[in-house]
Amino acid sequence: MPSLLLTVFILQLWTLYNKSPTSTRDSVQESNMLRAKVLVLKKEMAATSSQDEFAKWAKLRRQHDKAVAQYDERANNYYYYYIPIDIAKKVESRRIADDLLFFLLPAANSLKSFQSSFAKATTVLRWLATNGLRFFLQFWFARHPMFWIPRGWVPGYVEFLMAFPRAPRGSVSIQIWGIACATVVQMVGAAVAAGWILVRERKRAGRTKMGMRAESKAAEEEKKEFLKTLLFTLGPLLLPKLIGYYRAYRAKASSRPVPVRPPPTYVFTALNILFVSCVFALISTLPTFAPENIFQITSSRLQTPNDVLFKRLSSLRPDGKLTQADELLKPRIASIDARCLYLYYGPSIVAYCPFCLSDEPMSYFWYAVPMILFPHMLHLFALGAATSSAIGGKEGNRWRTSAVILGAGLAVTECYLTGAGDFKANARVVRPEDLNHFHWNMRIWRGIGIAVADVALAGFLWASSTNRLFVVPPTAAERVETATRILESARGRMAALGIMRNVVLRDEGLRRKVEGYWRKEGQIMSEVMIEREVVEGMRSALGSGRVNIAQVEEEARRFADGIVITPSGVQQQPL
């Protein structure tokens, strides 16, 4: 039951909600940064002597006290919102500036209070949607097998454990499947986190000076050790399984009930649609179709003054004049945060968003969501057309659900990466070549992801339509229908043969030709049978016992009875 398998697996991923873009994510991140800063300063104060290094210790103490005050003020006293004017008037606003109100909520609406009230309000719903649903599924489907283990793969006691507590013997219970999914999610999450940390440390070590090369080598060695450990751990487990799967596939391919065939004509149409989608996706990654990046073409830093930046840009324009889009963009990227948002969301979002502010970065995200989803909607349309019954036939419609899940997964992944990313990562970059052009990089990865998805779906569609992989044997009804068609065809041919023979016997000229043929056939066979070599061969076969006359006569009698006598239980049709 694939839907139940997928549901149990998805329930193990509910913790990803905490990483999704929410209204309190930025405040939580800032509070965590302040808390980490307090801990670092406290550690440095403990390592500094207040007598021998009093000046340094006093400076650290002032920084520590200031960070603690900021953390307490943010966590306990106030929580800031930007509220539109029309809403502010309803709550008796006191300060209005640039169509927005800087409204100071009391301590009851502070971050900690909000977290407490939010936790109380969502604890029951979250439990019902995750653990509650999981417990209900485990109780309701306790006797239902998730899937069956081939006989002889594992010992008997392992079959008992896999079916624990109440699933049929030889199957995997929903409890064991849930444990396996949770284990895989934890292992993959730990592996991805470790890989990300190693890659980040490698980049950070690569940007340091000559004195930090030892740290880079340590990170490389740590990465090698991690890969070796992963290989030695998973290699002995995965290699025998892969070899077994390959041998099973070869054995199944040699004895498959359905022969390999060329792909049907309508499958070629679906493959052509996927090919066109793949080509357009790869073309969209070319720099020609990418929006202009003023920091890249002018080789400017984020800290470059606005006038200097656009002076350089105007020197690249025709007649040395800025375009209308440049004039619209110039006042919107005056600050460092606005320029970080420019590199993160692209020039069109920053220039044309009517309600976005750099103080509210999530407003840019919500404005960019339709533009992010538009290419994925086109991709979903191509996938739907290729897997429809009208174009792809039965073979294409078989992959329709998987194609929709794949296309929607790409869209959700891009939205999540865009919403959960840190747009301020470029604020600390000094050199222009070290800037992370997130918007332009995401366009490239989007096109590559869509192209890879199209190629994978085309490969699966081709393999299944040619009966090379994912072969679905015909059902009993289809086999009966095929056998009935074959028998009907044979019966029609036999009826035609009977009609032809009846015509031959009724026509005098044809009857004479048939009689002349058999008369001549008898004469030829008589001459052959009286030849010396034939007579000696027949005597040798009969004398040595190689030919049993009684057995030949019995087989002839059974053959004649099978033609003439009607089988039991079958009503004889009148002639």
Side-chain angles (χ1 to χ4, degrees):
M1 172 168 198
S3 60
L4 183 58
L5 290 172
L6 186 61
T7 301
V8 175
F9 182 77
I10 290 176
L11 286 177
Q12 306 298 334
L13 303 176
W14 66 271
T15 54
L16 294 179
Y17 167 79
N18 295 328
K19 298 181 180 180
S20 61
T22 60
S23 60
T24 59
R25 178 175 63 92
D26 296 335
S27 298
V28 173
Q29 289 181 352
E30 292 179 4
S31 298
N32 292 336
M33 292 176 60
L34 288 175
R35 182 173 59 183
K37 183 178 180 181
V38 169
L39 295 176
V40 171
L41 292 174
K42 187 175 182 181
K43 184 177 180 180
E44 292 181 359
M45 286 176 56
T48 304
S49 175
S50 59
Q51 297 178 355
D52 300 335
E53 298 175 338
F54 179 77
K56 182 179 180 181
W57 181 87
K59 182 179 179 181
L60 292 174
R61 178 61 183 268
R62 288 193 299 270
Q63 294 178 355
H64 175 268
D65 295 342
K66 182 179 179 181
V68 170
Q70 291 177 353
Y71 176 74
D72 293 339
E73 181 181 5
R74 175 165 292 276
N76 296 324
N77 294 332
Y78 300 99
Y79 188 67
Y80 301 97
Y81 285 98
Y82 282 100
I83 301 178
I85 273 192
D86 55 348
I87 301 177
K89 290 180 179 179
K90 297 180 182 180
V91 294
E92 298 181 357
S93 60
R94 297 184 179 88
R95 182 182 177 187
I96 299 175
D98 296 332
D99 292 341
L100 290 176
L101 171 67
F102 187 76
F103 192 70
L104 190 61
L105 297 181
N109 290 328
S110 64
L111 180 58
K112 286 189 175 180
S113 300
F114 180 83
Q115 291 175 344
S116 178
S117 60
F118 180 83
K120 292 179 181 178
T122 58
T123 296
V124 176
L125 294 178
R126 187 178 64 180
W127 189 90
L128 291 176
T130 56
N131 293 333
L133 181 58
R134 178 165 57 86
F135 291 151
F136 172 76
L137 292 177
Q138 290 180 357
F139 172 79
W140 191 261
F141 295 98
R143 298 181 182 274
H144 188 86
M146 302 298 294
F147 54 88
W148 294 89
I149 304 174
R151 186 180 298 273
W153 270 31
V154 294
Y157 65 90
V158 178
E159 290 185 352
F160 172 78
L161 293 177
M162 298 295 284
F164 184 82
R166 293 186 296 174
R169 187 72 174 268
S171 65
V172 177
S173 65
I174 188 172
Q175 287 82 1
I176 300 300
W177 174 249
I179 295 174
C181 291
T183 304
V184 169
V185 168
Q186 292 178 359
M187 292 178 61
V188 172
V192 171
W196 170 253
I197 292 174
L198 291 176
V199 172
R200 186 179 62 183
E201 291 297 329
R202 180 182 179 183
K203 291 182 178 180
R204 184 178 300 174
R207 295 172 183 173
T208 55
K209 298 180 180 180
M210 299 293 293
M212 303 301 293
R213 289 185 179 179
E215 183 179 355
S216 177
K217 293 182 179 180
E220 289 289 339
E221 294 295 332
E222 186 178 357
K223 182 178 179 180
K224 292 180 180 179
E225 291 296 330
F226 171 76
L227 294 177
K228 289 180 181 179
T229 304
L230 188 64
L231 182 61
F232 287 135
T233 304
L234 299 181
L237 298 176
L238 296 180
L239 186 60
K241 292 291 184 182
L242 294 177
I243 295 175
Y245 289 149
Y246 175 73
R247 292 177 178 175
Y249 168 73
R250 292 295 301 272
K252 186 177 180 180
S254 60
S255 61
R256 64 178 59 181
V258 182
V260 176
R261 63 173 184 178
T265 306
Y266 49 83
V267 173
F268 277 111
T269 306
L271 294 177
N272 290 333
I273 293 176
L274 294 175
F275 173 75
V276 172
S277 175
C278 178
V279 170
F280 274 103
L282 293 178
I283 291 176
S284 66
T285 62
L286 298 178
T288 307
F289 303 97
E292 187 180 53
N293 188 345
I294 62 175
F295 291 96
Q296 192 172 20
I297 63 175
T298 59
S299 300
S300 301
R301 301 181 297 113
L302 286 184
Q303 295 78 11
T304 302
N306 213 28
D307 296 335
V308 177
L309 175 63
F310 282 90
K311 187 66 175 178
R312 295 176 182 175
L313 184 61
S314 63
S315 63
L316 302 175
R317 299 300 188 202
D319 300 331
K321 295 182 180 180
L322 296 176
T323 62
Q324 185 178 0
D326 297 337
E327 295 291 346
L328 183 63
L329 182 64
K330 184 176 180 179
R332 293 177 177 265
I333 58 171
S335 63
I336 296 295
D337 289 347
R339 295 184 177 188
C340 291
L341 291 168
Y342 173 87
L343 295 178
Y344 197 81
Y345 291 104
S348 60
I349 303 296
V350 177
Y352 297 105
C353 180
F355 58 87
C356 299
L357 293 174
S358 58
D359 296 329
E360 291 288 342
M362 289 305 299
S363 60
Y364 289 92
F365 170 74
W366 297 119
Y367 185 77
V369 165
M371 299 183 184
I372 294 174
L373 295 180
F374 179 72
H376 294 284
M377 296 299 294
L378 296 179
H379 182 226
L380 282 172
F381 177 77
L383 295 179
T387 56
S388 62
S389 301
I391 297 178
K394 179 177 64 176
E395 287 78 6
N397 194 35
R398 176 184 175 187
W399 297 99
R400 191 173 185 83
T401 303
S402 301
V404 172
I405 293 175
L406 180 61
L410 291 176
V412 172
T413 301
E414 183 174 355
C415 290
Y416 173 76
L417 293 177
T418 305
D422 183 14
F423 75 95
K424 293 185 178 180
N426 289 317
R428 297 178 295 272
V429 178
V430 178
R431 297 185 299 177
E433 57 270 16
D434 293 337
L435 291 174
N436 180 18
H437 307 279
F438 180 84
H439 176 72
W440 288 265
N441 295 336
M442 185 57 69
R443 290 184 70 260
I444 297 175
W445 286 112
R446 179 200 304 151
I448 294 175
I450 291 176
V452 170
D454 291 337
V455 170
L457 181 60
F460 290 149
L461 181 57
W462 176 82
S464 62
S465 63
T466 56
N467 296 328
R468 285 180 169 85
L469 287 175
F470 313 107
V471 179
V472 178
T475 61
E478 292 176 348
R479 291 197 296 268
V480 170
E481 184 180 359
T482 303
T484 303
R485 285 200 304 266
I486 295 174
L487 291 176
E488 289 292 338
S489 177
R491 184 186 177 205
R493 293 180 182 180
M494 292 179 66
L497 181 62
I499 294 173
M500 185 181 296
R501 184 170 180 79
N502 190 13
V503 171
V504 170
L505 294 177
R506 290 177 181 273
D507 186 82
E508 184 177 356
L510 295 176
R511 185 171 66 250
R512 287 178 182 178
K513 289 184 179 180
V514 172
E515 290 176 354
Y517 169 79
W518 287 112
R519 191 181 299 110
K520 187 176 180 180
E521 178 72 13
Q523 293 175 0
I524 294 175
M525 292 302 298
S526 299
E527 294 175 0
V528 172
M529 294 299 293
I530 63 177
E531 292 182 0
R532 181 176 180 180
E533 291 84 357
V534 176
V535 173
E536 290 180 356
M538 293 178 60
R539 288 178 179 176
S540 174
L542 295 174
S544 61
R546 287 182 296 174
V547 179
N548 191 350
I549 300 298
Q551 183 179 359
V552 172
E553 292 178 352
E554 180 64 22
E555 291 179 357
R557 184 186 64 79
R558 288 200 300 264
F559 180 76
D561 292 342
I563 296 176
V564 178
I565 300 176
T566 304
S568 59
V570 179
Q571 184 178 1
Q572 186 175 4
Q573 300 291 334
L575 298 176

